[in-house]
Structure formats: C-alpha cells, structure tokens
Amino acid sequence: MGDKSEDILLQINHVRYKKSDGQLCVAHKKIGWIIDNTDNFALSVLYTEIKTQKISPEGKPKVQLQLILNDQNTHVFHFTNPAGKDKQTQDRNNVKERLSQLLTASKRQPPDELLEKKRILEENPQLYRLYQELVPKNLLDPDDFWKEIAATYKKTLPPTMQMGISGAFLADIKPQTDSTNGKVQYNLTPEIMLAVYRTYPAVKKKHDDYVPSRMTESDFWTRFFQSHYYSAHTTSRTEDVFFECAKYDDKEWVRDLAKIVNDPMLFLSNIYEEPPFSVAKQTVSKAGSNHMHATMIRRFNQHSQNILKAQSRSEQDRLYEEMIAKNPDNLTNGTPAPQLPEPKSKRARLLEKLVYSDLESSTSTNTSALNLQQKDRYLAGPPTHNTVEPTPPHQLEALKQELALSLSTWKPSFDDVQNPVQAHKTLQMMSGKCREGRQSEPDTNGLVEELPLELRGELSAVYSSGGELLRHFWSCFPPRTPQLISKLHTLHATLAKYHQNTLRPFQDKAVRDYSYRSGVLDHLVHMFHTANTKYENWKARYGGR
Amino acid sequence: EFLEGEMPSSRPLREDDPSLLVLLIDTNPRFWLKQTQLRQRSNHSSSDLQSDSHSENSVFISVMDQIFVFLNSFLLLNRGNHLAVIASHPRESRYLFPVEREGYSALSHKESDFSFASMNGRIMSELELLLNSSVEEKSECRNSRFAGSLSLALCHINRMIFENPNIHPRILSLCASEDLSSEYISVMNCIFSAQKQNVPLDVCVLIDTDSLFMQQAAHLTNGIYWKPIRFEHLLQDFLTIFLPDLYSRKHLILPKSEQIDFRATCFCHRKVIDVGFVCPVCLSIFCDELTKCRTCGTRMPKKRIRRESKPIIKFENT
C-alpha cells in the first residue's frame, strides 16, 4: 500500500456487518470493512459519499454505528467485542470520532473547490469559452484542464476570509424575564450557536456528543446558560455537562498564560505605573485579591482570548483542539499535530523589526580571514638598551634613607642654586650650538630664507632653466643612436655656455651686491660638475664616435 | 577673540597670551640615587669644592631647587600663566601640583594667599609622600612610565582649555629613564594626540643616551629636544630654552634636533634595518627574504621575488 490515502488509520476487530464478522478499517479517504479471513474489502465507502453517521443510543443492548450515504443508503456496523459492552462502546466511539474528523475534512474540500472553479469560470470569459470547447467534447479531461490551464488563475484568487465574531455576542443575548414566575427566556439564533461553537470548540464537541442522542437542543442550551460560561455562580453539580469543559478551559488558560509570560518581547513587570515623586511605595491592589473577582476577571479574559483565537485559527488547529476537548489527556496516534510556530528567539524577532531585506546590499564580497600569529611583534617598538647598571640593594637602601631625610628637612634656599661661572659657560656653549645649527647644512632652505626677496625670484628662474637643461642632458644617456650622440654634444656645449653666462654672474651678483656668502648656488654648480664629469668619462671611453 | 567651534590651541599666537605649562618630572629613584652616589664619589675623590658650592649631597634635591626657580620665574612672566606639575615614577604617575588634600584646598595662584614658598613647599611634600611610599618596588621596573604621565598631562590640558579658552598649553618633560619598548604604542598614541591638539612637547633628557621616543615626540609636536652636557647646572638651560613662551619662540633661535632615527626594526631579530622586505598582506617587516610570511602565512614564491631585482620597500636614512 504505497498511496498515502490508503493508509489505515484505525482498525477495529469484531465488527459485524450484515451478519458476518470482520474488521472495520478507517483510512484517509474511505472506510472499509473486511470479512474475517479474507484480504479484500467487502465494503468500501468514500467519505465524500457519506452524508452523516449515527450511533445507537446508550440504553440499547446492541452497540451500533450507522452510516448514511448521500443516496440515502445505510450501512450498519455492529460492534461485538467479546471483552464486553464497554469495550464495544469504546471501539464504536473511536470509530465515530475518527470518522467525524475525516468526514469534516473531506467534506469541506469539494464544495469549496467547485464553487471556486465556478467563480473562476464566471470571472474569466475566455477561460469559460476554452472550457466549453475542450471539456464537454472530451478533448481534455477536466482535471487536466484545471491543472494546466487554470493553474495560474487559481493562484491569483484572494483567500476567502471569514467573518469575525462579535466580542459581545454572549452579552447580546438579552434574556427576557417573565416577571410572573421568575423564568428566564433566552432567544437563540443559529448565528449565536455558530459563534459559540467557534469560540469554544469544547462546547461544540459536547454538542455533537449529546445532541440529539442524549438530550434535546433546548435542554443542552439551558444547561449551557446555567453553566460557568454564562453565570457567575456555577452550580456545583459534578456530573454536569460542562464540567469537563471547565477543566479543558482551565488547561487552555494555563497554556495561553505560559505563552504570554514567556514571550521575551513583553516586559510584564512594568505594567504598574508609579507616579513620579511618590515617596512611599503605594500598595498596589492586585487583581487576585478577591477570589470571586479573580475568577470573574479570569473568565472575561479567557472569553476575549477565545474570541480572538477563533478568528485566527486554522483548520488543523480546529481539529486538533476539538480532539483535545474531547479527550484532553490522550491524543490518538496518527493525527498530525499542527505546526506550532516555534518560539522565535528574542534576537530573531528584534532583527525582524529592524532589518528590511530590500534595503540590505545585495552584493556579498567574499572575504577571507586573516590569521595572524605573534601579533605582539607589531606592538613592540624599537629595542632599547638599558645602560644603567643596577645598584646593589643595600646601597640603594642607604641612599633612599638619605633622600628621605633630605626631603623631610628641606628648606627652600635658592641663593646658591646656580653657579654663575658654570651658567655662563653653559650659555656660551648653547649659543655656539645654535649658531652651528644655523650653518651646518649649506644647501638647506635655511639659507634660501636669508636671501633677499628680489634675488629669490631670480634664483628660482636660474634653477628651473638649469634644471631643464640638465634633464635633457641626462636623458641622452646611454647614447645608442647617432642622434642621441649629436644631441649630447650640443647639450654639453649649451651647459658650459649656461654655466659661464648665467650661473657665474648670478653668484657674483649675490656676493657683490648683497654681501652674500658665495655658497648660494653651490648645489646647482655641483650638478653641473657632475654632468661635466659624466660627459668627459663617456668621451674618454667611447671617444668621438 | 575666541570663535565658536574653533579649536582654542589652533588660534594664532599673540603677544602676552597666557600659557599653560605642564611639567613632567621623572622621579626614577634608581637614576637619582645613582647620580647621588656618583656625586658623592667624585666629592670624596676630588677635594675641589669650588665646582660644587652647594653642600647638598642629594642630586635630586639640588635639581629640584633649580626647577623651583624656573617654575617661579614662569609664573612671574605673565599674570595669567598656569602651571601643573606631574611626577612620573616606575610605579605610578601622579599630580604634584595643584593637588587637594585634607586640611587644605588646592592652591591656586590666583588666590590671595598664594606664595611661591607655599607652592614649593607643597610640591616638596607631595614628592616626599611619593618617594617614601612603603609599597615594594618591583625590580623589573627600572624605568618610569612615560605614557601614563603624558596622558595625565594631556587630560589636564584638555580641561584647562575649557576653563580658559585663551590659553596656550605646552608640556615640558624632564626625562631620566630610558625608553620602555613595551610602552611604544601608548607613547606614540599620546604623541599623536598632542600633535592633534597643537601641544608642543619639549624634552630635556638627563640620561647619557639619546631617547628615541623623546626625539620623535619633540619632532612631531614641534617641540624642543635638549640634552644638557652637565645637568647639575640645568637652571641656565631652562631659563634660556624653555622659559620663553610659544610666541617668543618664533623670534629666537633655539637648538635644533639632530637627525632622528626613524628606521624600522625587523620582526624577526628586532634589529634596526635600512632596507627590508615587507609582506604585502600583513605588512610585517623582515630583514631577509622568506618563502612564507611568519605572521600571516602568505606564500611568497622565490621566482616572483627574484624577478624584481629591487627590494619591495626601501627605507632611506634621511
């Protein structure tokens, strides 16, 4: 059996049908019955064909389950478990439950689907025409049609939304009192009943159980209004219908509370406000002080919570909760639990709120990590040498004592602080040093700054022209082609002329007119000399080629 | 006057602007005690007492006397001048002036009861407290920690600039210990922040060898680096070189620092190199070529290195 829809969810032995013993098998999409000692299904009914199921009342000796099909046929299964009537009842109830779930699951799909398809066809005349062309003429199977052609249309349909429940629906049931005999009359409409079912799935379960087999509708609802759902004072009859519901509600409440309290994004201890400048801590009246009030408030809260949940519940959740309502303690195996959203970590939720995925940069650069060993080698500076020899400790101590004594007996007396002869010597030496610092490098800017402003312009002109000539000269080396050689010769001649005509007069002028030292153009002259030497050497080696 | 949003210390210098001088005194006990020992030996060996008319045996105290004269002169130059004195010690750095203690408030020279005698006395008593502290000295700490005192000085300057926006700060450091290579990064950071704040760092070095950190400090912050020949006669040097304020310095010729050694050290041997090899990934410096960088593990195939005949980075000795 590979197909999932054929998996047997529930198998009950000792079930009689039409006077033969056999097994009842409940599968995903159908229910089947096998006669004992055979392998194939004698009876197999799809859920889509089943209209309702019925069970025999409590008091009857036989424990039976009846299936009513759409075409008014009936199948009756008789549970004959040799272990006793209780076991039979249990078997039957199991089957009934499972069946009811599966029935509702399967029933919900077709109407929606058909309606949906109909709507699509109505909205899109082209599609409708296509449909008309292909399907009735047996050119294309309807399934194929819907799968391939209409697949795109189906996706664009907005999800159908259910109408929510009014928060005050219970309060809006205004009872009418007959003042004569103290009876209270409630007017109940199907909408109210639906609202109750959606808000309290437990009540729905109870309704399915008890009505119409055990009690009438009116009786059920009377009991409902007398129960804790509607009145503040519950009648403490333990065997009441809704007592189980009360237990279920309590459990549900605890679960909800845990969910809220454990939410890392809510900070609940901050809800009580303290007015500023309040000196004494005011005793905050907590809600749980009066027990009556507490239960009342809790019921109200739970009611509101349930209304909210009714709106946002999904199909699976509904089934799940119905099942829990019926049997809060054990879940039958095989039901898939609804996927609860895992409690996201606080960090993930914060990130959700902070980050917009479309604002993040789409490029991701591949960076490789840089592993550095011995990082302290970056941090250590140049090595230092300790030239101070360590003094032996006892001498150190003695000296320390002396110093301490001197410090304590220190009196300011500044008469002899400076020896004038020594001071004079120091001053002389320092002046000498300063003067040296001035003159030590002849070709630094310090020299140029002492030139008068008029000469500075001329100096820069001389430098730039001389430098240009030199550049041309040096670019000729090594002279490989005849043109370069001839260029070299001419440049050399030019340099010599330049030296004679421009540099010398400039230097002479500086010395003569401005009584300047003759070192102002030393650097340039030095460069010329170097060029000259290079030329001479080259000429000597390769001479006149 | 002072415009909003303008850094106070980047204002142009004007005549008669008040200055803030922060003096960092290096109280390295080993150095000073050693000097006292040397002086005692020389006193005993030579009977020439003319060179030392001062009968004080302790070198430290004689130097402190000279410093007091210098400080008093500084305060006399301009009514608005401010002063702070910080002592650096191998163990700690702390303020010597102005300091609040129980019994008397911080002495400010603007108060009416200020006198040079009381200021000098205060500084001396603080020094006494520092040097007589009974905490055991660790034998490894032979040198004073300069980075801490420099940071203290810079913080003090920062605060004073807020209180007196017109002031021009500078730092004078009396250095009596050698460089601590473990302090290199901290000292460089302090120097850069002083540079940013336009605070010149003047250094007077009393030890025999040149201090590389101090040279760089003075060079980067436009300060003066001075190494006196004989430091028993410091006062004249101080009065000539370090007393004039920043405005007057532009008109004086003050000793220039000699060539500073900016060379790097190789990572493998810690020796100073002129020409070296640098890993292009982690920028660590080696003195000889390697096939694999020792810090980051990058492979440098020999063929690629051989192809380029020159080394990758050349450090020139300027």
Side-chain angles (χ1 to χ4, degrees), chain A residues 207-319:
Chain A
H207 178 86
D208 289 340
D209 286 344
Y210 285 80
V211 170
S213 54
R214 288 198 219 167
M215 57 173 83
T216 57
E217 285 267 1
S218 52
D219 199 14
F220 179 79
W221 286 108
T222 324
R223 297 261 184 108
F224 174 75
F225 284 115
Q226 282 172 354
S227 77
H228 71 285
Y229 282 108
Y230 208 70
S231 66
H233 310 278
T234 50
T235 50
S236 56
R237 280 182 287 165
T238 48
E239 283 308 313
D240 201 357
V241 176
F242 294 100
F243 188 66
E244 267 186 44
C245 294
K247 271 203 291 182
Y248 165 71
D249 282 342
D250 281 343
K251 283 201 182 150
E252 202 191 349
W253 178 246
V254 168
R255 256 187 296 137
D256 286 340
L257 207 60
K259 224 196 297 176
I260 293 175
V261 164
N262 290 333
D263 189 343
M265 302 291 280
L266 298 175
F267 190 44
L268 283 176
S269 59
N270 231 359
I271 52 178
Y272 295 111
E273 249 185 48
E274 249 183 47
F277 308 119
S278 66
V279 176
K281 231 189 170 181
Q282 297 166 7
T283 50
V284 181
S285 61
K286 293 235 174 123
S289 50
N290 191 339
H291 181 66
M292 268 315 281
H293 297 165
T295 33
M296 186 91 96
I297 289 174
R298 204 200 67 171
R299 287 225 202 98
F300 280 136
N301 286 340
Q302 199 167 8
H303 179 71
S304 317
Q305 185 84 354
N306 277 331
I307 289 182
L308 283 175
K309 279 207 280 186
Q311 184 53 35
S312 57
R313 215 174 275 152
S314 67
E315 287 260 336
Q316 262 188 333
D317 285 341
R318 235 171 267 163
L319 288 177

Side-chain angles (χ1 to χ4, degrees), chain A residues 41 76 119 231 252 282 289 325 385 392 417 444 459 481 486 496 519:
Chain A
F41 283 94
V76 182
R119 197 162 44 88
S231 66
E252 202 191 349
Q282 297 166 7
S289 50
H385 12 263
V417 121
T444 50
L459 180 66
T481 64
S486 57

Side-chain angles (χ1 to χ4, degrees), chain A residues 19-35:
Chain A
K19 313 252 190 270
S20 340
D21 284 322
Q23 297 170 13
L24 192 61
C25 303
V26 178
H28 236 270
K29 291 241 165 101
K30 55 188 173 187
I31 183 169
W33 182 76
I34 315 175
I35 300 181

